[in-house]
């Protein structure tokens, strides 16, 4: 790379720095290198590529017509399969060379309307010599006003017009760089363009929690991160939307310890306004509006034109249980509302309060509490509690209780932090365990009544009368699941921690606390790991 001005040297220095990023000059010009990768690295924009050879002409023109007025850079190239060297064609165009698309126009001549494309050769020389080139006869059929307007807009050396038909016939590749609003603000040359509205989110797929795979895995694909796009129904215009998913990558994939790239993509579902979250039942019954081709690439991008309505974007890997970080970017040209689908931390079914007056009746017809009060002291320690639960575990638990589980259950009713539980609390405890057992049985894994997939934890919590945020759910999976499996005992311990956190939060007088009080989410996270 060099500047046309011999006193300018920044271009060559930039190229050298870029080569150092990848190790050497050979790594930025050899096999596997592309204009797309350089545009991604040097602009930070979203790069979308179109192969023009087999592309529908109408769709190609739509893409150009929507991108040219906006803050998007358009790069077109000619690639010949039979020859990888750079050649100058008889029509003046260069192969293996990047041309900028700088404008569109439609002119009316003797042969009718003709759409034109304006391009620029960054070398400042080597222009198109075919129809609508600088000295072609086609200009003679235009009015003086049209000729003046089009010639005034061609200001730089190397800039030229050609018909859209010739453009689509000769060029084989079109790369579009969608520039973010931040870059638009700092780049005066783009101020005449319409800026995009942008939303970005840095997230990760975690095995057993939200790495649910593609639509080919209907049982888990709804567990992936979900992002809601709401296009106001009062808007009469269709909204142009660009969705990009970039996975974390290494500049040198051959380096020791480099992370492999996964096959990534995303699905877009149109949903009713009342739908807050995709569920396995929904994705099993409804086909997505669009699913990208999952490819082993740094970035997957798709351009949409969406009417007013509600849509959910689901970033995903092709198969489940791929651990990776990703960046989701959504650009829109109309006013829209975009947010990550999340839940509140809430216990909406307080079992202890509901069964406060209930009694547990034994098979012989006698109340359990009466029998316990005769046999045990008013305050029970963990060993005595374990003995009682083991004597009646089949009705209330999926497996015999361990000592660790009994310690957790005592914490649930141990207001004075004495390490003991009142014998009067045993019936309430039994009812809570029975309710949680019934909820767990709906998600049992196969013939094993004591295990289920950790992907089922969110609907399982709902069945048990609780909802949690994405962050809390992730921590629950990390804390209580093992190898993507959740046992019934670990589920009960997780429910105990959630109930403890809610009780502590509501008992705190946050108004009187000094400094910034803990949020409910922070308190839950502390309780999970305590």
């Amino acid at each position: 790379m060099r500047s046309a001005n011999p006193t300018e040297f920044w271009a060559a220095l930039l190229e050298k720095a870029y080569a150092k990023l990848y190790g050497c000059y050979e790594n930025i010009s050899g096999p596997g290198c592309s204009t797309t990768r350089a545009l991604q690295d040097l602009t930070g924009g979203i790069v979308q590529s179109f192969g023009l050879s087999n592309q529908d002409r109408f769709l190609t023109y739509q893409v150009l017509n929507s991108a040219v007025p906006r803050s998007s850079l358009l790069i077109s190239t000619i690639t010949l399969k039979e020859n990888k060297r750079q050649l100058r064609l008889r029509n003046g165009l260069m192969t293996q060379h990047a041309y900028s698309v700088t404008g569109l126009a439609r002119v009316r001549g003797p042969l009718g309307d003709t759409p034109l494309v304006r391009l620029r050769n960054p070398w400042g020389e080597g222009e198109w010599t075919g129809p609508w080139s600088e000295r072609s006869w086609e200009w003679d059929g235009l009015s003086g006003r049209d000729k003046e307007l089009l010639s005034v807009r061609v200001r730089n050396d190397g800039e030229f017009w050609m018909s859209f038909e010739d453009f689509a016939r000769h060029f084989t590749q079109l790369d579009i760089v969608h520039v973010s609003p931040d870059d638009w603000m700092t780049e005066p040359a783009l101020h005449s363009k319409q800026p995009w509205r942008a939303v970005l989110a840095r997230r990760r797929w975690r095995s057993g929690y939200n790495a649910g795979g593609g639509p080919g895995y209907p049982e888990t694909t709804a567990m992936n991160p979900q992002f809601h796009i709401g296009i106001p129904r009062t808007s009469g215009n269709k909204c142009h939307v660009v969705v990009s998913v970039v996975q974390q990558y290494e500049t040198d994939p051959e380096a020791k310890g480099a992370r492999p790239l996964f096959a990534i993509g995303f699905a877009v579902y149109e949903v009713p306004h009342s739908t807050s979250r995709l569920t396995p039942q929904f994705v099993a019954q409804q086909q997505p509006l669009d699913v990208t081709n999952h490819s082993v690439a740094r970035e997957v991008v798709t351009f949409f034109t969406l009417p007013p309505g509600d849509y959910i974007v689901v970033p995903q890997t092709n198969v489940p249980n791929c651990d990776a970080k990703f960046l989701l970017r959504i650009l829109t040209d109309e006013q829209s509302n975009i947010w990550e689908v999340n839940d509140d931390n809430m216990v909406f079914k307080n079992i202890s309060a509901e069964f406060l007056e209930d009694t547990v009746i034994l098979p012989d017809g006698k109340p359990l509490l009466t029998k316990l009060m005769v046999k045990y002291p008013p305050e029970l320690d963990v060993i005595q509690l374990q003995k009682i639960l083991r004597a009646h575990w089949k009705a209330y638990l999926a497996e015999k209780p361990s000592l660790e589980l009994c310690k957790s259950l005592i914490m649930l009713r141990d207001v004075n932090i004495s390490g003991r539980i009142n014998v009067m609390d045993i019936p309430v405890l039994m009812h809570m365990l029975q309710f949680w057992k019934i909820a767990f049985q709906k998600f049992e894994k196969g013939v094993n009544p004591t295990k289920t997939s950790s992907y089922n934890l969110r609907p399982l919590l709902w069945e048990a009368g609780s909802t949690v945020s994405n962050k809390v759910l992730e921590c629950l999976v990390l804390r209580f699941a093992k190898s993507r499996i959740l046992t019934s005992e670990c589920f009960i311990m997780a429910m105990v921690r959630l109930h403890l956190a809610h009780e502590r939060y509501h008992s705190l007088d946050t108004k009187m606390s000094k400094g910034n009080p803990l949020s409910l989410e922070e308190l839950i996270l502390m309780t999970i790991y305590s």
Side-chain angles (χ1 to χ4, degrees), residues 64 67-70 72-76 99-105 116-122 150 153-156 158-161 167 174 192-193:
L64 288 174
V68 166
R70 293 176 178 83
S72 299
L73 311 177
L74 291 89
I75 312 298
S76 55
Y99 290 84
S100 303
V101 179
T102 59
L104 283 178
L116 301 180
V117 182
R118 186 178 65 195
L119 297 100
R120 179 179 179 271
N121 184 344
L150 295 178
R153 289 161 65 184
V154 181
R155 297 174 180 173
N156 302 306
E159 201 164 28
F160 56 89
W161 291 97
F167 170 82
L174 177 66
S192 61
K193 304 283 189 177

Side-chain angles (χ1 to χ4, degrees), residues 236-303:
N237 299 328
K238 290 187 176 181
C239 184
H240 293 101
V241 181
V242 179
V243 180
S244 159
V245 177
V246 185
Q247 63 178 315
Q248 188 176 18
Y249 59 87
E250 306 286 349
T251 55
D252 184 6
E254 304 298 328
K256 184 178 180 181
R259 301 181 185 87
L261 291 179
F262 297 109
I264 63 171
F266 57 87
V268 180
Y269 292 84
E270 185 174 9
V271 297
H273 184 66
S274 58
T275 301
S276 58
R277 175 184 291 279
L278 297 183
T279 62
Q281 293 76 19
F282 184 93
V283 299
Q285 298 170 1
Q286 302 293 330
Q287 291 295 321
L289 188 68
D290 187 73
V291 181
T292 60
N293 292 325
H294 291 71
S295 56
V296 182
R298 302 196 315 186
E299 182 177 28
V300 174
V301 185
T302 300
F303 183 96

